[in-house]
Amino acid sequence: MSLSTSLGLLGRKVGMMRLFTDDGDAVPVTVVDVSNNRVTQVKTQENDGYVALQVTFGKRRASRVTKPIAGHLAKAGVEAGEIIQEFRVTADTAAQYAAGAAVPATVFAAGQKVDVQGTSIGKGFTGTIKRHNFKSQRASHGNSRSHNVPGSISMAQDPGRVFPGKKMSGHLGDVTCTTQNLDVVRVDEVRGLLMIKGAIPGSKGGFVTVRPAIKAKGAN
């Protein structure tokens, strides 16, 4: 769970483009669709033991929603979404929203630093060198078919085994990861878009969570 106590937004990664500054410099940005974020539940200290806003994003057919979730959304009067997530917030922030209320893209402002969480692109089964960013062996001078392999993995007769946790080949990517302290370059309130400088985790069309940066100067 994020350490932030500020409200964030759920969204979908659209892709990358570039924006030009007044000086003519090109800024690479990732476009994130955060339109139609809506509150499905307001959790309070008295009823739930903590304060949070439960938010959903996207659209899903009613036939694709389980009955418990359908009843929960019907109670809030909210259309079913593709993802639901909670944001721990202060009591003052929670008091500004009610179930069914929309959360606008203007939660963020241009120049603000944010943390973006998503699922990284899966690479499948990957060799040791690529998976752990190791250095390859020599490409010549006597090296026989051992150019891009890890080399020795264990020790001599004592202890005579490979220690657990050894960095070796295996599955790479497809994990939840967060890129921190990215700059919001532009906020398109009408279309519900955020333009964030740099790359963020995930493939095009993947779901992401945008939160105020927790390590930025003066962050909560």
Side-chain angles (χ1 to χ4, degrees), residues 106-188:
T106 52
V107 168
F108 298 103
Q112 183 177 357
K113 289 192 177 294
V114 294
D115 296 338
V116 183
Q117 184 183 75
T119 303
S120 62
I121 298 175
K123 304 292 185 179
F125 189 92
T126 312
T128 311
I129 303 298
K130 180 177 180 179
R131 188 186 188 201
H132 300 290
N133 198 29
F134 287 171
K135 182 179 178 181
S136 300
Q137 298 185 36
R138 299 179 66 171
S140 60
H141 295 286
N143 192 345
S144 178
R145 296 182 298 176
S146 298
H147 309 293
N148 213 41
V149 297
S152 176
I153 64 171
S154 187
M155 292 177 250
Q157 185 173 352
D158 183 18
R161 65 189 181 94
V162 179
F163 289 126
K166 187 72 174 178
K167 292 182 178 180
M168 299 183 70
S169 303
H171 188 270
L172 175 63
D174 194 25
V175 295
T176 301
C177 58
T178 303
T179 303
Q180 296 181 320
N181 292 334
L182 298 176
D183 294 315
V184 178
V185 178
R186 184 179 299 174
V187 178
D188 190 332

Side-chain angles (χ1 to χ4, degrees), residues 45-92:
Q45 188 70 37
E46 295 76 15
N47 294 334
D48 305 284
Y50 64 98
V51 181
L53 289 177
Q54 188 184 83
V55 180
T56 188
F57 167 80
K59 294 182 180 180
R60 176 173 290 180
R61 297 199 304 269
S63 61
R64 296 298 181 183
V65 181
T66 62
K67 289 186 177 180
I69 296 297
H72 176 68
L73 296 175
K75 182 179 179 181
V78 176
E79 181 185 7
E82 295 176 89
I83 54 174
I84 297 179
Q85 193 164 320
E86 288 185 4
F87 295 95
R88 292 285 187 103
V89 296
T90 61
D92 294 337

Side-chain angles (χ1 to χ4, degrees), residues 19-27 185-186:
L19 300 176
F20 291 93
T21 64
D22 295 336
D23 298 329
D25 296 330
V27 180
V185 178
R186 184 179 299 174

